[in-house]
Amino acid sequence: MIEFKEVSKSYADKLVLEASSFKIEDGEILVLVGPSGSGKTTLLKMINRLIEPSRGQILLDGQAQESLAKRDMRLEMGYVLQQIALFPNLTVGQNIELIPGMKKWDKARKSQEARRLLNRIGLDDKVYYDRLPSQLSGGEQQRVGILRAIIAQPKILLMDEPFSALDPISKTQLQDLTLELQQEFGMTTVFVTHDIKEALKMGNRIAVLHEGRIAQLASPEEIVSQPANDFVKELFGGVEHG
């Protein structure tokens, strides 16, 4: 479980995230949605300490985040970005096997699991394992990026607008794939998006951010049927869930 206790973030005299307290349960997908500059990515990056809170405390499975070694903590987290940034000089297999290598998996185990997962997501390992990222489409690169993030079965998966640069068909395919893999591995997932339909599809719960504060945190059904204020109502207005 991830717990935020009165966590806020400021830069100089600018408050980016107001004091927030909430919990993210084990195995759930929490989607952070809101306009640009609302604090979504700031909140996400505080979970793996790319950004440090100005005030408050974050607990991971009941342990204070600052008491954990950063490297060990991050090895238990997968991270997927909009620009996946595969290492161009490494093959697909080598990219996927980076974290298992850091975790001291042996060569046979790394290769076997990388090949299994490539086939699992519809990329034939005999074709794709030895390819370079430059030989892949954008959607294929993003699939490999997801595998790189989850192969070592992290407890927490962080996703920052991972599909926003993709065409609609690839986007839908990768949304479905992410939901399948998240269920298979049981990862606690925090997913940032500005796409309202994507938020409703992906989230067990949605945190709606507006000007650095959480305007509402609830299930998709509740947010659509019982918006907390006019901002949430307008943001989700006319969008059907289900």
Side-chain angles (χ1 to χ4, degrees):
M1 182 168 61
I2 305 167
E3 182 175 2
F4 278 61
K5 299 177 74 172
E6 292 296 308
V7 173
S8 64
K9 181 63 181 178
S10 299
Y11 293 102
D13 58 350
K14 179 176 172 56
L15 184 64
V16 179
L17 185 71
E18 289 188 13
S20 302
S21 296
F22 61 93
K23 295 178 181 178
I24 306 171
E25 301 295 337
D26 288 343
E28 83 163 320
I29 302 178
L30 178 69
V31 173
L32 310 178
V33 68
S36 297
S38 58
K40 305 184 300 295
T41 295
T42 295
L43 195 156
L44 182 86
K45 287 183 175 181
M46 286 197 284
I47 295 173
N48 69 352
R49 296 186 67 188
L50 283 174
I51 294 176
E52 299 284 356
S54 299
R55 295 176 183 271
Q57 189 176 52
I58 299 173
L59 305 179
L60 302 176
D61 291 332
Q63 291 185 277
Q65 189 191 50
E66 64 269 20
S67 71
L68 304 172
K70 269 189 186 180
R71 184 180 186 276
D72 295 340
M73 180 195 72
R74 287 174 177 163
L75 282 175
E76 294 302 323
M77 296 185 186
Y79 197 20
V80 183
L81 300 164
Q82 177 182 337
Q83 300 298 332
I84 198 60
L86 298 176
F87 290 99
N89 59 323
L90 300 182
T91 65
V92 165
Q94 290 168 333
N95 267 283
I96 296 170
E97 293 167 13
L98 280 171
I99 301 300
M102 293 178 188
K103 287 190 164 187
K104 309 299 184 186
W105 288 20
D106 64 55
K107 185 176 181 180
R109 182 186 178 193
K110 286 190 299 184
S111 175
Q112 183 178 8
E113 186 65 0
R115 290 178 180 278
R116 182 186 79 82
L117 285 172
L118 278 169
N119 290 312
R120 171 73 177 74
I121 64 167
L123 299 180
D124 186 341
D125 70 295
K126 297 180 182 64
V127 176
Y128 285 91
Y129 184 83
D130 291 317
R131 281 191 177 176
L132 291 169
S134 60
Q135 298 172 293
L136 308 181
S137 70
E140 289 168 345
Q141 287 190 36
Q142 205 69 344
R143 286 171 188 262
V144 172
I146 292 171
L147 291 195
R148 185 173 68 180
I150 69 161
I151 183 172
Q153 299 188 24
K155 294 178 181 177
I156 296 169
L157 178 62
L158 307 176
M159 307 188 83
D160 194 356
E161 304 212 35
F163 312 137
S164 60
L166 299 177
D167 64 86
I169 293 175
S170 295
K171 185 172 187 174
T172 298
Q173 290 175 339
L174 284 175
Q175 288 169 347
D176 293 340
L177 175 65
T178 297
L179 290 170
E180 290 173 14
L181 293 172
Q182 191 273 340
Q183 189 169 33
E184 179 179 330
F185 289 104
M187 298 168 291
T188 304
T189 302
V190 185
F191 189 107
V192 168
T193 185
H194 62 269
D195 182 326
I196 302 306
K197 289 183 179 179
E198 183 168 71
L200 291 170
K201 177 176 180 176
M202 300 299 293
N204 301 124
R205 289 190 300 157
I206 298 172
V208 184
L209 279 86
H210 182 221
E211 295 179 344
R213 67 181 183 85
I214 297 176
Q216 187 169 4
L217 200 169
S219 68
E221 295 81 6
E222 184 176 342
I223 283 177
V224 170
S225 63
Q226 302 174 51
N229 56 34
D230 288 343
F231 171 78
V232 178
K233 184 176 182 179
E234 183 177 348
L235 191 66
F236 284 82
V239 180
E240 294 184 5
H241 175 62

